[in-house]
Amino acid sequence: MSPPAVESQVQALTDLYNSIQNARHHPRDLLKTAIAPNPLPLTHPSLLLYSQQLKDIVHTLRSDAVQSALRAAKESEKADGQNIMNNVRRENRKRRPPSPESPQPYTVIERQSSSLFPVTKDDVAPLKSPELIEYIRQFNKTNSSYKLGIWQGTRSSTRDLKNPTILRFTIKDVLTAYLTVSYTSNDLVLLVESVTTFGPRERKLPHSQSDYSVYRMLSQEFGRMIHSDPQVGLQKFMTLLCSYENMFTMRCDKCQRVLCVEGHVAAVERVWNESDGQWQPRHVSC
Ligand SMILES: [Zn+2]
């Protein structure tokens, strides 16, 4: 096979992949609109657009170009698929398109692409429960505005954490967050189960709710992030939490405003920016 043919096949599959990714955003947008006071009529333009997008995807998927690219990809994998799984995840996603005959790769792609957390070359192994105390000690040295601690659950031996454990994370004058983390006896990896956030001067229990809508929205936002990748390591999750240090002064990366036009709420959403290697603030409504 000549290189241009491979190129055009990769392009056909990349286009298909991108259109599927695009279509994936729609159900979430539709849900947002659906909980609005007036439910969507079935003739609503967004619904029609979504249904047209799905039709287009089916059409592209059935096209000769995509079908022959999928066949070629399968043959190529059969011929030499040895190291395919060792590639970086993002590479993997590009190079290993789903084959129509095998539903398994599709599941893998869905799980990886739904994660809103970055995959970087500096990724460390997810934190395990025996490493938590030392991690907290080191973490608190990084920035004097942050403070991380165990809210309850220490036993006499620090190696034997209560499971689940509640962590308390504060950013001075910005927020207090309670993280419920748990681990299984298999691998001891700490996973974040839920996060509730409060104003810096609120005195509330972790399982209650903030009196301020911005912190309730923030708690929901963390719920969405956890849902996108329940296996995300604690260290990576903490980079997300730390990105709220200037929560009330940072501009939204879409509309460039600090407070959104509707509701005058700060940018509580975070989107990972690959080129900057940073979490970018965004309004929920943007
Ligand atoms: Zn905005």
Side-chain angles (χ1 to χ4, degrees):
M1 200 186 300
S2 62
V6 176
E7 236 166 65
S8 68
Q9 283 173 340
V10 169
Q11 194 54 51
L13 295 176
T14 309
D15 291 347
L16 175 68
Y17 175 79
N18 289 340
S19 58
I20 293 174
Q21 289 307 104
N22 269 338
R24 264 205 187 116
H25 294 304
H26 273 267
R28 196 182 141 222
D29 295 343
L30 288 177
L31 274 177
K32 267 191 195 166
T33 333
I35 52 172
N38 307 313
L40 285 177
L42 280 172
T43 52
H44 190 279
S46 320
L47 283 174
L48 294 179
L49 177 72
Y50 185 44
S51 116
Q52 187 54 47
Q53 266 187 334
L54 293 183
K55 278 181 197 154
D56 291 347
I57 289 173
V58 172
H59 183 76
T60 318
L61 187 60
R62 285 180 179 154
S63 69
D64 287 345
V66 167
Q67 286 300 314
S68 61
L70 287 172
R71 270 195 299 275
K74 198 176 183 201
E75 270 159 34
S76 154
E77 190 195 344
K78 220 189 273 171
D80 181 21
Q82 277 191 342
N83 292 319
I84 258 176
M85 295 309 285
N86 292 338
N87 290 340
V88 182
R89 279 208 244 168
R90 222 169 299 115
E91 290 288 297
N92 218 345
R93 226 153 65 189
K94 275 186 195 156
R95 289 185 190 170
R96 221 167 151 253
S99 139
E101 290 114 283
S102 54
Q104 197 54 33
Y106 181 75
T107 320
V108 171
I109 281 171
E110 181 169 48
R111 183 164 55 81
Q112 292 174 350
S113 63
S114 68
S115 175
L116 300 167
F117 290 87
V119 178
T120 67
K121 57 182 186 325
D122 317 316
D123 274 0
V124 290
L127 198 77
K128 295 185 176 186
S129 72
E131 302 158 348
L132 181 65
I133 301 293
E134 185 53 29
Y135 174 75
I136 290 175
R137 205 168 281 152
Q138 294 303 324
F139 181 91
N140 287 331
K141 285 181 191 165
T142 58
N143 185 324
S144 57
S145 302
Y146 306 151
K147 202 162 178 3
L148 182 64
I150 295 172
W151 181 72
Q152 63 170 33
T154 33
R155 290 184 186 165
S156 50
S157 159
T158 50
R159 289 180 162 274
D160 194 18
L161 277 182
K162 199 170 169 184
N163 192 15
T165 294
I166 296 179
L167 304 180
R168 184 174 186 270
F169 170 69
T170 56
I171 304 177
K172 197 170 179 283
D173 298 331
V174 177
L175 62 79
T176 298
Y178 292 102
L179 292 81
T180 305
V181 294
S182 64
Y183 59 90
T184 63
S185 50
N186 281 351
D187 57 9
L188 303 176
V189 169
L190 290 164
L191 298 177
V192 182
E193 281 187 14
S194 66
V195 177
T196 43
T197 55
F198 300 92
R201 274 164 283 278
E202 281 190 281
R203 295 280 168 266
K204 295 259 190 172
L205 291 171
H207 50 265
S208 64
Q209 266 201 345
S210 170
D211 289 337
Y212 303 102
S213 63
V214 64
Y215 293 105
R216 292 199 298 271
M217 282 170 80
L218 193 53
S219 301
Q220 277 178 17
E221 179 57 20
F222 288 128
R224 187 175 73 91
M225 296 299 287
I226 295 168
H227 183 74
S228 85
D229 193 352
Q231 306 298 315
V232 72
L234 183 65
Q235 306 98 314
K236 203 179 278 187
F237 201 87
M238 291 311 296
T239 70
L240 174 68
L241 281 170
C242 292
S243 76
Y244 288 85
E245 187 179 2
N246 301 310
M247 175 175 161
F248 295 107
T249 50
M250 282 175 91
R251 288 165 194 273
C252 164
D253 77 336
K254 265 229 168 132
C255 70
Q256 303 302 319
R257 293 171 54 99
V258 176
L259 299 177
C260 67
V261 184
E262 315 154 34
H264 300 284
V265 182
V268 296
E269 211 173 283
R270 289 290 178 273
V271 180
W272 181 256
N273 184 313
E274 197 91 22
S275 50
D276 296 1
Q278 274 180 357
W279 290 104
Q280 297 293 343
R282 192 172 292 178
H283 296 121
V284 173
S285 57
C286 273

